[in-house]
Amino acid sequence: DLVTLQSHGPGRATASWADQGIPQELELVSNARADFAAGFPAMPEVFTENSLDLLASLATAATIAEGERTRFALDCLQLRGDQGKIVATDGRQVLVQSGFAFPWSHELLVRASRAFAAKELAQTGSVGVGLTQDWVAFQCGPWTIWVRIEKEARFPKIDDLIRDSGAALSRLSIDQQDGRFLLAALARLPSDDPSHQPITLDLNGQVIVRAKTAGQTRQTDLVLSRSKLDGENISINTDRRFLARAVKLGFDQVCFFGPQAPVLCDDGRRQYLWAVLDSEGALRPADDAIRVEATAYRPFEAQIPHKTSRRRLNVIHTATQSNGSNQDGNTQAGNHRASNGRRSMPKLAVEGEANRPIMQAMALRAVLRETLVQTNELIRALKRDKRQSRLVASTLASLKQLQKVAG
């Protein structure tokens, strides 16, 4: 619906509209600087074209630059003109993204903004970057975003922190399916430290992620059975949010330089670095740990069967064999259930009663969704068969009438 803006003096206004017939009103308070009192700055004379990747990179960098401004401007992005890089840090993690073109050769700071994540901007073809004395302008189709240059702000030196990935003592290769499992499981691991949310990444023969709170008697181990370690065994105590961010950013290689050294992900175009926690807090292996195998996790997309042909619906029957030697009758009962067309619950490679109910519930939900897809396909096939039967009957009736006429 249309939105009406009414001014109530400098920096204050009211927005009013109707939401499905119900009046809505919102008070607006502007914190815009006095620089805009005379209008927007003059347009730059030259714009340097970039792909839409620049918007996504600026939006991603803004999620990193969320630190408080003290000695350094941790809420700013460093734009390196000669190197074509965007650098962001909050003091605990650093993200460097390269491959961009800026119309300046020096380094400058601008305030990080979530505006670059707006979906309207992604509908444009390219991004133009322009520079004036006090502003950087990003032009996206009909949109222009002005960001003030923070001339007095200071940015930390991060180049000495990023080491050559080839000098890593250990390198973890995260399997794609294990990565999806990690993203789904990390946030659910127990934690009683909201500031750091520690986990232990234990790389010693197996790739295991451990977590435990002070009040728990048993720790939880996530076993990434598809992932591999090259190099020395190592155990890292780290904030789980940084590991999750690395996976979410699409990194599948994690480099380690020691139990206390920062962790590095490097794909050639981007470098993501984060500081680890004190190694003394790392969890040791425990015989009674609750183990959750990554192989038990299947994303929903992998559980949906391929669509059947519109010409033919293939119904697969599961053949079962009874085992007369089974004294307790469990095998025969299971075969009887399978012969009735019912699907048994998949068994999950999970140890520990604490995790079994939720994992079984997730598996049941997947089975029900798959059953719904197959049911819909069967209904459509039956309707097609019914229409074909009617067509055949109508054709036969017409042929009979033609035979009578011909006779």
Side-chain angles (χ1 to χ4, degrees):
D1 199 359
L2 293 178
V3 179
T4 301
L5 300 176
Q6 183 178 2
S7 175
H8 300 292
R12 302 186 69 86
T14 301
S16 57
W17 69 98
D19 186 358
Q20 297 184 3
I22 301 176
Q24 306 288 327
E25 187 173 281
L26 178 65
E27 182 181 2
L28 305 175
V29 179
S30 173
N31 58 359
R33 304 186 184 189
D35 304 279
F36 290 98
F40 283 91
M43 278 287 186
E45 296 181 357
V46 178
F47 280 92
T48 302
E49 292 296 319
N50 285 263
S51 68
L52 286 179
D53 291 341
L54 175 60
L55 292 179
S57 298
L58 289 169
T60 300
T63 64
I64 301 289
E66 294 182 338
E68 297 181 359
R69 180 176 293 204
T70 53
R71 287 182 53 199
F72 300 106
L74 301 181
D75 57 347
C76 288
L77 306 180
Q78 186 184 60
L79 306 182
R80 300 183 177 183
D82 56 343
Q83 300 177 1
K85 293 183 177 181
I86 302 172
V87 184
T89 181
D90 63 356
R92 297 189 298 171
Q93 56 182 331
V94 178
L95 176 63
V96 180
Q97 304 171 89
S98 59
F100 309 105
F102 299 131
W104 59 84
S105 60
H106 54 285
E107 299 175 358
L108 55 82
L109 298 180
V110 297
R111 187 72 63 91
S113 174
R114 295 293 185 96
F116 296 105
K119 60 182 180 180
E120 292 82 2
L121 302 180
Q123 298 173 3
T124 61
S126 62
V127 184
V129 183
L131 178 69
T132 65
Q133 184 177 358
D134 299 315
W135 302 89
V136 176
F138 298 90
Q139 195 172 65
C140 315
W143 303 92
T144 301
I145 299 178
W146 298 87
V147 186
R148 172 175 282 277
I149 301 173
E150 302 288 338
K151 297 181 179 180
E152 303 300 326
R154 299 176 57 195
F155 200 77
K157 296 181 179 180
I158 56 92
D159 291 335
D160 294 338
L161 300 176
I162 301 178
R163 305 171 65 177
D164 182 7
S165 60
L169 302 177
S170 310
R171 186 186 301 268
L172 171 62
S173 300
I174 302 178
D175 177 82
Q176 187 175 10
Q177 295 185 51
D178 284 353
R180 289 194 291 266
F181 168 73
L182 266 181
L183 289 179
L186 278 175
R188 296 176 173 84
L189 286 177
S191 174
D192 54 4
D193 185 354
S195 299
H196 299 99
Q197 299 189 21
I199 57 169
T200 298
L201 183 57
D202 190 8
L203 311 175
N204 188 4
Q206 288 183 307
V207 179
I208 298 177
V209 177
R210 295 194 174 97
K212 180 179 178 293
T213 63
Q216 289 181 320
T217 58
R218 302 171 64 189
Q219 66 189 28
T220 302
D221 288 2
L222 305 180
V223 183
L224 309 184
S225 51
R226 304 181 187 93
S227 302
K228 297 180 180 179
L229 173 70
D230 294 327
E232 302 178 3
N233 294 338
I234 193 171
S235 182
I236 297 292
N237 185 24
T238 181
D239 191 318
R240 70 189 68 189
R241 292 169 294 188
F242 299 151
L243 178 60
R245 187 186 295 274
V247 176
K248 191 173 182 179
L249 287 173
F251 291 106
D252 57 6
Q253 298 284 325
V254 185
C255 300
F256 304 93
F257 302 88
Q260 292 290 115
V263 179
L264 173 66
C265 299
D266 188 346
D267 63 3
R269 187 174 181 269
R270 303 172 302 165
Q271 292 82 37
Y272 179 55
L273 181 82
W274 76 85
V276 300
L277 302 175
D278 189 356
S279 61
E280 294 296 327
L283 297 174
R284 304 291 184 256
D287 295 335
D288 62 344
I290 301 172
R291 292 172 59 89
V292 182
E293 299 280 349
T295 52
Y297 172 79
R298 290 191 304 159
F300 175 62
E301 294 79 3
Q303 299 171 14
I304 300 178
H306 294 291
K307 291 185 178 180
T308 55
S309 171
R310 292 185 178 272
R311 297 181 180 178
R312 180 181 179 185
L313 178 66
N314 296 321
V315 181
I316 302 176
H317 298 279
T318 303
T320 59
Q321 298 179 356
S322 59
N323 186 357
S325 61
N326 190 345
Q327 297 178 359
D328 58 7
N330 289 338
T331 302
Q332 293 180 0
N335 291 337
H336 177 69
R337 286 193 298 270
S339 63
N340 287 338
R342 299 177 184 175
R343 182 165 180 165
S344 59
M345 282 289 295
K347 294 183 179 180
L348 303 176
V350 179
E351 298 181 8
E353 296 299 327
N355 285 310
R356 187 178 301 277
I358 184 63
M359 298 297 288
Q360 293 290 350
M362 292 172 62
L364 176 60
R365 180 181 65 179
V367 170
L368 292 176
R369 286 177 175 174
E370 182 178 343
T371 303
L372 178 61
V373 172
Q374 293 178 345
T375 301
N376 291 335
E377 290 288 350
L378 179 58
I379 291 174
R380 284 193 288 268
L382 292 174
K383 288 181 178 179
R384 288 195 296 269
D385 291 342
K386 188 176 181 179
R387 288 195 296 268
Q388 292 175 356
S389 299
R390 289 177 179 176
L391 178 61
V392 171
S394 176
T395 302
L396 291 176
S398 300
L399 290 174
K400 289 180 180 179
Q401 290 180 358
L402 290 174
Q403 289 176 352
K404 289 180 180 180
V405 172

